[in-house]
Amino acid sequence: MAIAAGIDCSAQFTKIVVCDTDTGAVLRENRAPHPGVPAGSAPTEIDPQAWLHSLGAAAEGGLLEGISAIGVSAQQQGLIGLDAGGVLVRPAILRNDPRPATAALALVDEFGGAVAWAQATGAVPPVSSTVAKLRWLAENEPAAAKRIAEVLLPHDWLVWQLLGQAARRTTDRGDASGTGYWSSVEERWRPDLAALALGHELHQFPQVLGPAEAAGQSPEGLLISAGTGTTMATALGLDLGPGDVMISLGSNGTLHAVHTEALQDPAVATYADATGRFLAQVVTLNAARVLRAAALMLGTDLQGLSELALRSTPGSYGLVLLPFLEGERTPSLPHAAGTLSGLRVDSMKPEHFARAAVEGMLCGLADAVDVLRGAGIPVHRVFLTGLASRLAAVQAAAPGIFGVPVVVPAQAEYAAIGAARQAAWALAG
């Protein structure tokens, strides 16, 4: 029996799973927080060395004993700038940094608009993109920006460390596709877009490895696979295929559909995945925040909201909540507000409002699924993830609203499992 480990580095934790490469069974697992990151926070910057400290802590007690290969996943769209000597220029800027919002809008305009970006790379760069962070640096920290000779993503940096800081830098197509300067359409780097953002050309770009390629061997002789971004690793860990849509119910709703070809549609972002296919992405602004706001209004919590909703019936006695509580991204209605309609004496009860909140959230997500269908992407099955997916009322209402089978996977570290699966794939050749 061969054993592979998967590492997932999130905003707060490093998580490790150790798996049997034949059966996929999880043999051991552990996690450790990044030092200096308060519980429940979402940092915008970090010293990457913190990831190595949490990795070491998670691996204590012989967790990695007997392994043959390691795969790494990490949060996408970060920025780790290195100078010409490979020295870190400044702390890593992370995915959820809101500061590049204006920079992202400016880059879209300068390159000719959303359609031009979609045709060039497959996606219009959002505020979280690496390319927007490069522009923000150029405008706000010009001395640091001028020193940047190459850029690594968090998973690239971790792989580089595991390889003993080898001369060759690597990445994979999935994580590269979130930078904004790697084209999912042409499957290549776009140095011109990086230079447009940064103000000068980068000296080098990481080599983009194929899904089953190894990045190299660690000094201890362990095979290190290409690695990928957390979303791509999660899709691999869940074994998603064409026709599957993964919906993450965070405050926002993030939909990823496995597809066999890159799109050039500004309404649907196309990223590469970890298998050689693509992930088409659509985002709504209103998902679990709708349920939290409704629960607060009713003086309860998410579980209490679910219990109330189950006391109502489909259709909520005619009560309809249009859940654009924070504007909306899909459809593009940035200044919209929510609307509650169908008020009658017999519908003005807590259980019907609770049910309307659940149905309103799911109908908003169903509209986003229809955007995917409209782009020519088949939808045969929906996977629901996130805390809100565990609510009984959500699970009861979702199949009828989406019109396809709905799967709520058992709780597990799917990104780390996907990373381990990639490592096993590379180990098998």
Side-chain angles (χ1 to χ4, degrees):
M1 178 181 69
I3 302 175
I7 297 169
D8 179 54
C9 180
S10 69
Q12 294 184 0
F13 296 94
T14 293
K15 294 157 276 190
I16 305 175
V17 300
V18 176
C19 299
D20 179 339
T21 61
D22 292 329
T23 67
V26 176
L27 306 176
R28 304 183 291 275
E29 60 183 305
N30 197 19
R31 63 163 57 192
H34 304 317
V37 177
S41 67
T44 58
E45 294 191 2
I46 196 170
D47 181 349
Q49 292 293 328
W51 299 332
L52 296 182
H53 288 297
S54 58
L55 174 56
E60 287 179 354
L63 188 79
L64 299 180
E65 184 176 346
I67 66 170
S68 302
I70 296 176
V72 177
S73 77
Q75 55 181 301
Q76 296 128 237
Q77 298 176 320
L79 190 159
I80 301 171
L82 304 180
D83 67 15
V87 177
L88 186 69
V89 169
R90 68 178 312 285
I93 304 178
L94 301 182
R95 173 188 175 91
N96 63 337
D97 189 342
R99 292 175 295 181
T102 302
L105 294 173
L107 283 171
V108 172
D109 288 341
E110 289 172 26
F111 191 64
V115 172
W117 276 98
Q119 291 175 344
T121 68
V124 182
V127 58
S128 58
S129 64
T130 311
V131 74
K133 294 176 173 66
L134 286 175
R135 170 56 65 86
W136 182 87
L137 273 177
E139 293 176 343
N140 294 275
E141 298 181 11
K146 287 178 182 177
R147 289 181 55 203
I148 293 177
E150 60 179 313
V151 173
L152 299 182
L153 302 171
H155 113 256
D156 305 342
W157 189 87
L158 283 166
V159 167
W160 184 47
Q161 300 303 310
L162 291 173
L163 293 175
Q165 297 189 355
R168 183 178 74 149
R169 322 282 205 257
T170 64
T171 190
D172 88 303
R173 57 194 292 280
D175 217 0
S177 66
T179 62
Y181 52 87
W182 187 86
S183 172
S184 297
V185 177
E186 299 177 341
E187 301 255 351
R188 68 177 182 92
W189 291 112
R190 288 291 304 262
D192 58 319
L193 296 179
L196 174 68
L198 188 58
H200 66 265
E201 293 185 356
L202 293 172
H203 293 188
Q204 63 177 341
F205 294 82
Q207 180 181 347
V208 181
L209 303 177
E213 283 190 77
Q217 287 195 331
S218 72
E220 300 79 19
L222 300 176
L223 180 145
I224 309 298
S225 64
T228 193
T230 293
T231 299
M232 295 76 189
T234 300
L236 184 58
L238 287 169
D239 196 21
L240 302 187
D244 289 333
V245 178
M246 175 174 63
I247 302 179
S248 175
L249 298 179
S251 293
N252 300 344
T254 307
L255 294 77
H256 288 96
V258 180
H259 197 40
T260 54
E261 48 188 82
L263 304 176
Q264 295 175 284
D265 184 342
V268 180
T270 294
Y271 300 110
D273 76 351
T275 71
R277 296 182 293 230
F278 299 90
L279 290 173
Q281 182 194 74
V282 176
V283 177
T284 71
L285 296 183
N286 297 283
R289 64 161 41 97
V290 175
L291 304 187
R292 286 197 296 268
L296 182 64
M297 188 172 175
L298 293 173
T300 185
D301 57 13
L302 288 180
Q303 188 59 46
L305 181 83
S306 178
E307 292 169 2
L308 279 170
L310 290 173
R311 287 163 46 189
S312 182
T313 55
S316 312
Y317 267 62
L319 207 58
V320 176
L321 176 64
L322 187 66
F324 297 161
L325 305 188
E326 296 283 351
E328 189 47 84
R329 179 170 167 181
T330 306
S332 180
L333 298 168
H335 306 298
T339 302
L340 183 65
S341 63
L343 292 170
R344 298 176 182 275
V345 171
D346 57 356
S347 67
M348 294 175 66
K349 296 179 180 178
E351 59 265 33
H352 303 322
F353 177 69
R355 178 87 188 195
V358 170
E359 292 181 350
M361 177 195 74
L362 291 172
C363 284
L365 294 166
D367 285 347
V369 171
D370 285 342
V371 171
L372 294 171
R373 290 191 177 103
I377 299 171
V379 177
H380 303 310
R381 187 168 54 161
V382 166
F383 283 69
L384 290 181
T385 66
L387 179 63
S389 71
R390 305 286 160 196
L391 300 176
V394 171
Q395 295 182 15
I401 290 175
F402 289 124
V404 295
V406 173
V407 178
V408 180
Q411 288 185 290
E413 299 289 359
Y414 286 106
I417 290 170
R421 188 172 192 179
Q422 185 196 66
W425 190 4
L427 187 65

